[in-house]
């Protein structure tokens, strides 16, 4: 037990991902049977998953919480663990697994579990948004958030299903008039997307924020002034990066953002509705992540 863990809570979202579903409790029980840990499983359902996890954390008092799920499940658990000093490990089980890719966590179960148990404990930043929500990875307003909303409404999973709603989203796209305020500085821009980036890339591997680091004490504001069909395809299917001629970015520790009309908004892949204003600030070293040792 390199990191001294005794109590491990394993949070499983059985609905995460697409394709053939795995029997996660059985696979994990087989892995932990011969190991000296006290483990407890927490299975999520549609009835208040936050309360299920929160109650399990309170009752079990784990030193480590392992999440088996996609970006939305990871983000939800991360918000519950923020500031508690309880380590968070990831078993990628979603459709995109953007956070796992960001952190170089392998998609194979045994390799990911080895990082959860024996990896490097790294304090990481979070972004607090509107004094309520916390973002671990990437949040945005505009076209990508609208794409996520359409994706959820059509109840389609997987990259090809995601692609089916692209035309619908492009047909409805509108430029936003956005005002950014930091201290005594005000910036006005027209944009199709604005990203609050604590990390560097989306789940498909496309890089939106080359300077993004999870533990640098800042976040980046990325303004997408132009967004072509080709770059939407990159977001869906390819690694690489956005055309720098279409992007403007700057670093911040806090910011206020207002738009002329209500716009779509998402946090870590979860659609949050429409907003006309956001406030965001960095929360340094707010959560402890289990990462590959080389990081």
């Amino acid at each position: 037990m390199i990191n001294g863990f005794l109590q491990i809570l394993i949070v499983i979202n059985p609905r995460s991902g697409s394709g053939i579903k795995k029997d996660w409790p059985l696979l994990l029980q087989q892995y932990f049977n011969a190991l000296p840990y006290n483990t407890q499983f927490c299975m999520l359902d549609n009835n208040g998953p936050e309360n299920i996890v929160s109650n399990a954390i309170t009752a079990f008092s784990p030193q480590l919480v392992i999440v088996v799920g996609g970006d939305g499940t990871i983000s939800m658990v991360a918000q519950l663990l923020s500031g508690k000093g309880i380590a968070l490990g990831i078993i990628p089980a979603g459709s995109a697994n953007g956070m796992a890719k960001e952190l170089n966590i392998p998609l194979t179960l045994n390799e990911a579990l080895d990082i959860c148990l024996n990896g490097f404990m790294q304090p990481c930043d979070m972004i607090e948004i509107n004094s309520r929500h916390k973002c671990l990875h990437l949040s945005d307003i505009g076209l990508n958030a609208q794409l996520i909303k359409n994706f959820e409404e059509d109840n389609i999973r997987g990259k090809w299903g995601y692609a089916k709603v692209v035309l619908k989203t492009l047909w409805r796209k509108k430029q936003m008039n956005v005002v950014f305020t930091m201290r005594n500085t005000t910036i006005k821009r027209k944009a199709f997307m604005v990203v609050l980036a604590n990390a560097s890339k989306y789940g498909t591997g496309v890089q939106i924020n080359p300077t993004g680091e999870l533990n640098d004490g800042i976040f980046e504001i990325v303004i997408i002034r132009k967004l072509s069909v080709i770059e939407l395809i990159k977001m869906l299917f390819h690694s690489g990066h956005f055309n720098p001629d279409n992007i403007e970015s700057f670093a911040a520790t806090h910011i206020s953002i207002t738009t002329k009309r209500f716009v779509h908004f998402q946090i870590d892949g979860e659609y949050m509705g429409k907003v006309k204003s956001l406030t965001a600030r960095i929360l340094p070293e707010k959560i402890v992540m289990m990462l590959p040792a080389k990081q």
Side-chain angles (χ1 to χ4, degrees):
M1 292 185 288
I2 293 176
N3 288 296
F5 299 131
L6 296 173
Q7 304 268 95
I8 300 176
L9 179 67
I10 302 174
V11 178
I12 300 173
N13 185 351
R15 301 181 308 281
S16 290
S18 57
I20 299 172
K21 300 297 183 182
K22 296 181 180 180
D23 189 340
W24 290 111
L26 177 62
L27 293 171
L28 291 162
Q29 283 171 351
Q30 291 173 342
Y31 182 92
F32 280 101
N33 270 344
L35 298 177
Y37 301 101
N38 184 18
T39 58
Q40 178 171 304
F41 291 93
C42 177
M43 300 294 293
L44 300 185
D45 57 32
N46 292 323
N47 298 318
E50 294 90 348
N51 290 334
I52 293 171
V53 178
S54 181
N55 291 339
I57 291 169
T58 300
F60 190 58
S61 299
Q63 290 93 35
L64 168 67
V65 176
I66 296 175
V67 179
V68 182
D71 292 340
T73 308
I74 294 165
S75 177
M76 182 267 289
V77 175
Q79 294 197 45
L80 293 173
L81 294 181
S82 65
K84 289 184 167 63
I86 301 171
L88 173 63
I90 297 172
I91 305 297
S95 298
N97 299 308
M99 179 54 68
K101 292 173 183 175
E102 181 80 39
L103 299 173
N104 295 318
I105 295 172
L107 301 182
T108 54
L109 176 59
N110 284 11
E111 289 180 298
L113 278 167
D114 183 63
I115 291 169
C116 290
L117 300 177
N118 305 312
F120 177 62
M121 298 178 68
Q122 173 67 61
C124 294
D125 306 336
M126 301 182 81
I127 306 173
E128 183 182 74
I129 301 175
N130 287 349
S131 302
R132 294 178 53 215
H133 308 293
K134 294 182 180 67
C135 167
L136 182 60
H137 191 215
L138 298 168
S139 299
D140 53 57
I141 58 173
L143 198 61
N144 183 60
Q146 184 178 355
L147 196 62
I148 289 172
K149 175 181 181 290
N150 293 341
F151 177 60
E152 291 179 353
E153 285 179 346
D154 288 5
N155 196 28
I156 298 171
R157 290 187 177 274
K159 292 180 182 178
W160 286 109
Y162 204 52
K164 290 179 181 179
V165 302
V166 170
L167 289 178
K168 174 182 176 181
T169 305
L170 284 173
W171 182 259
R172 298 178 179 178
K173 77 179 189 299
K174 293 181 180 178
Q175 235 180 2
M176 303 178 294
N177 293 297
V178 191
V179 179
F180 306 89
T181 304
M182 297 180 294
R183 295 190 177 93
N184 297 321
T185 302
T186 298
I187 301 171
K188 296 182 179 181
R189 294 289 185 271
K190 291 182 180 292
F192 285 105
M193 280 175 57
V194 174
V195 185
L196 301 175
N198 194 36
S200 66
K201 54 192 173 185
Y202 283 102
T204 53
V206 65
Q207 191 174 69
I208 189 70
N209 177 33
T211 61
E213 296 287 346
L214 282 166
N215 58 347
D216 58 2
I218 58 173
F219 60 95
E220 283 75 34
I221 310 300
V222 184
I223 304 168
I224 314 298
R225 298 190 299 261
K226 298 179 182 178
L227 189 59
S228 66
V229 173
I230 291 174
E231 291 190 316
L232 268 179
I233 291 171
K234 282 183 184 179
M235 287 177 63
L236 294 171
F237 298 111
H238 298 283
S239 59
H241 55 80
F242 279 78
N243 184 346
D245 293 336
N246 298 338
I247 290 178
E248 177 183 356
S249 66
F250 52 89
T253 57
H254 65 275
I255 196 166
S256 296
I257 301 172
T258 57
T259 56
K260 189 173 182 179
R261 59 181 174 83
F262 281 97
V263 295
H264 298 283
F265 170 46
Q266 69 88 16
I267 297 178
D268 290 340
E270 294 295 307
Y271 182 70
M272 305 299 292
K274 285 188 171 184
V275 297
K276 284 184 71 175
S277 64
L278 294 174
T279 58
R281 67 185 182 105
I282 197 70
L283 301 176
E285 299 188 351
K286 196 64 174 177
I287 187 165
V288 178
M289 305 282 292
M290 298 305 300
L291 304 183
K294 65 181 179 181
Q295 293 187 213

